[in-house]
């Protein structure tokens, strides 16, 4: 697939780490799990961490973290651009939000 110069620039910015960080806000499901999207080392991914809990060990309550799951990872260049098209409007970067706005559905 041939990329436009704008898409090549976005992929270069992703690879350089300029766009690394959280994308949007985290979401708490009705079951108590937390879901969030993050870009780390230029690779966007979506994670889910189940609710933690606690148990009594005979002396006191001990807390434990929920299990961390990787729900989706956008590894190829095409997938990374799909991520930016779909979730770029959540990012605090003018170039990415402008790119994402081109693919916003028309009413």
């Amino acid at each position: 697939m041939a990329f436009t110069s704008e898409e090549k620039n976005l992929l270069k910015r992703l690879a350089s780490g300029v766009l690394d960080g959280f994308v949007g806000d985290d979401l708490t499901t009705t079951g108590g799990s937390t879901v969030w999207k993050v870009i780390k080392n230029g690779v966007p991914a979506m994670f889910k961490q189940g609710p933690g809990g606690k148990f009594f060990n005979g002396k006191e309550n001990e807390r434990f973290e929920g299990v961390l799951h990787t729900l989706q990872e956008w590894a190829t260049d095409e997938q990374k651009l799909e991520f930016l098209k779909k979730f770029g409007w959540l990012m605090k970067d003018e170039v990415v939000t402008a790119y994402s706005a081109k693919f916003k559905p028309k009413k």
Side-chain angles (χ1 to χ4, degrees):
M1 180 178 169
F3 299 123
T4 65
S5 60
E6 179 185 26
E7 291 171 336
K8 289 177 187 176
N9 180 37
L10 287 169
L11 290 170
K12 195 181 300 181
R13 292 183 70 202
L14 260 176
S16 71
V18 173
L19 301 175
D20 283 7
F22 281 92
V23 177
D25 295 328
D26 58 351
L27 168 81
T28 303
T29 64
T30 55
S33 299
T34 305
V35 180
W36 69 95
K37 291 175 244 10
V38 67
I39 300 174
K40 184 175 181 182
N41 299 325
V43 180
M46 183 167 30
F47 297 101
K48 174 183 174 186
Q49 186 162 18
K54 61 183 176 180
F55 66 94
F56 186 70
N57 68 0
K59 289 185 177 181
E60 61 188 11
N61 285 331
E62 284 190 35
R63 296 193 173 278
F64 60 91
E65 292 286 321
V67 179
L68 179 66
H69 299 281
T70 303
L71 295 180
Q72 189 172 1
E73 192 169 271
W74 291 266
T76 66
D77 288 346
E78 288 85 5
Q79 290 172 338
K80 289 176 184 179
L81 289 172
E82 278 299 316
F83 178 86
L84 292 177
K85 287 177 185 177
K86 189 171 183 180
F87 301 110
W89 64 275
L90 294 168
M91 299 173 69
K92 293 175 176 69
D93 186 280
E94 291 180 17
V95 177
V96 177
T97 53
Y99 177 72
S100 180
K102 293 179 182 179
F103 301 96
K104 186 176 179 183
K106 307 285 187 268
K107 288 187 177 183

